Amino acid sequence: MRTDWRRNAVKEKLRAGEPAYIICVRQSRTAEIVSATIASGHDGFYIDLQHSTMSEDDAAQMCYAARLAGSVPLVRLPGLNADIGQHMLEAGAQGIIAPDITSAEEARQLVSICRFPPNGERAPVAMGLETGFQPADQSLRQEVQDATLVIAMLERETAIEAAAEIAAVPGIDALFVGSNDLTSSMGLHGQYEHPRVQQAYATAIAAAKANGIWLFVGGIRDGSIVKRYVEAGASRFHVTGMDGQFLVSGASTARRAFEASFECP
């Protein structure tokens, strides 16, 4: 029976120190985003349920299709909602991103959603994707858990101040700095290289390193800035943009090229 769909290629690349390229999905509503993700050379995507009106069912179909195609689906929850988190994990999500984590207690709640007992309260493996629709097999729990990314987002100064205690919570795989929310909370929106923002990143990177977990850079689309934070210790988990942005950018480029062809003598 085929079992390679249980692999998490993003987690494997991070462990190997290799770059993983991710698309943020907000506008798409069908499984076709999986093919677009693969065709564009990305390793996976994260579905943003916090900043979209997407239904759980639409998200579930994308997760399921991604798993069968060998792409890695992650889901950003709208908050610390255990029910939605469980639904997404059972639908095939290989990672849960929790927004606006500001304390160790909230980090423990996130771990509880994503980890099996005794480390959390995730429901047992049921017949479905993980079992190849064969009878439930609890011996798969460790394999499934190892392939699940548990990611805590830091999006305000108070979260940065608590980064060390958040990173120290057993079961957290990565801290994910939401650069736009963070800089806004600091009164420095979009100033990703301001000294105070650099210090915030240094604090988060140090917390991640001290606890043997990853630090992801979020919200910055300028690769040269991201590179400097990677050189400072961040991991190579690169969210290159959002599906809607790609559509507008590609359509704009095509229109300009078409227009230019009529301007040539």
Side-chain angles (χ1 to χ4, degrees):
M1 181 181 70
R2 181 185 166 208
T3 60
D4 58 335
W5 60 72
R6 296 194 199 109
R7 292 181 56 236
N8 184 327
V10 168
K11 201 167 186 179
E12 291 174 3
K13 285 192 170 187
L14 291 168
R15 284 172 172 160
E18 299 173 0
Y21 294 98
I22 305 295
I23 293 175
C24 173
V25 177
R26 289 186 184 177
Q27 275 73 41
S28 301
R29 294 294 187 273
T30 70
E32 290 169 334
I33 189 62
V34 176
S35 296
T37 297
I38 295 170
S40 60
H42 288 76
D43 300 292
F45 54 81
Y46 85 77
I47 298 169
D48 191 349
L49 294 182
Q50 185 185 27
H51 296 296
S52 73
T53 58
M54 189 185 306
S55 71
E56 287 186 47
D57 188 57
D58 286 341
Q61 299 304 316
M62 293 180 197
C63 288
Y64 189 86
R67 292 290 299 279
L68 294 182
S71 188
V72 177
L74 313 174
V75 176
R76 179 179 180 175
L77 300 180
L80 278 172
N81 187 306
D83 290 336
I84 297 177
Q86 185 65 51
H87 295 166
M88 293 298 98
L89 289 168
E90 291 187 344
Q94 290 188 292
I96 294 295
I97 303 169
D100 202 21
I101 298 297
T102 59
S103 68
E105 177 54 34
E106 291 177 345
R108 283 190 284 271
Q109 291 178 43
L110 169 59
V111 170
S112 180
I113 293 170
C114 301
R115 301 301 187 196
F116 294 111
N119 308 112
E121 298 181 1
R122 182 171 175 176
V125 174
M127 186 181 79
L129 177 66
E130 303 296 357
T131 68
F133 279 88
Q134 299 302 306
D137 181 355
Q138 298 313 307
S139 69
L140 297 174
R141 283 180 22 165
Q142 192 59 50
E143 182 180 355
V144 172
Q145 181 161 274
D146 287 346
T148 301
L149 275 165
V150 183
I151 304 169
M153 291 202 75
L154 310 183
E155 302 185 85
R156 60 179 83 183
E157 281 189 282
T158 52
I160 298 297
E161 292 166 1
E165 63 181 63
I166 293 170
V169 172
I172 295 292
D173 289 308
L175 304 180
F176 190 7
V177 177
S179 302
N180 289 308
D181 284 307
L182 176 62
T183 56
S184 289
S185 78
M186 301 170 80
L188 300 166
H189 184 68
Q191 298 182 52
Y192 306 126
E193 295 186 283
H194 189 281
R196 285 175 57 203
V197 178
Q198 291 183 29
Q199 182 55 52
Y201 262 101
T203 298
I205 289 169
K209 280 190 171 183
N211 289 280
I213 66 174
W214 296 299
L215 187 288
F216 301 159
V217 177
I220 303 176
R221 305 295 181 239
D222 185 331
S224 63
I225 297 176
V226 174
K227 181 181 179 182
R228 284 190 279 277
Y229 283 123
V230 168
E231 290 170 344
S235 301
R236 296 202 62 188
F237 178 93
H238 301 315
V239 181
T240 60
M242 292 185 291
D243 52 352
Q245 291 175 332
F246 292 141
L247 175 62
V248 172
S249 176
S252 298
T253 299
R255 185 199 62 79
R256 287 194 296 269
F258 198 89
E259 184 178 54
S261 68
F262 283 86
E263 295 174 351
C264 296

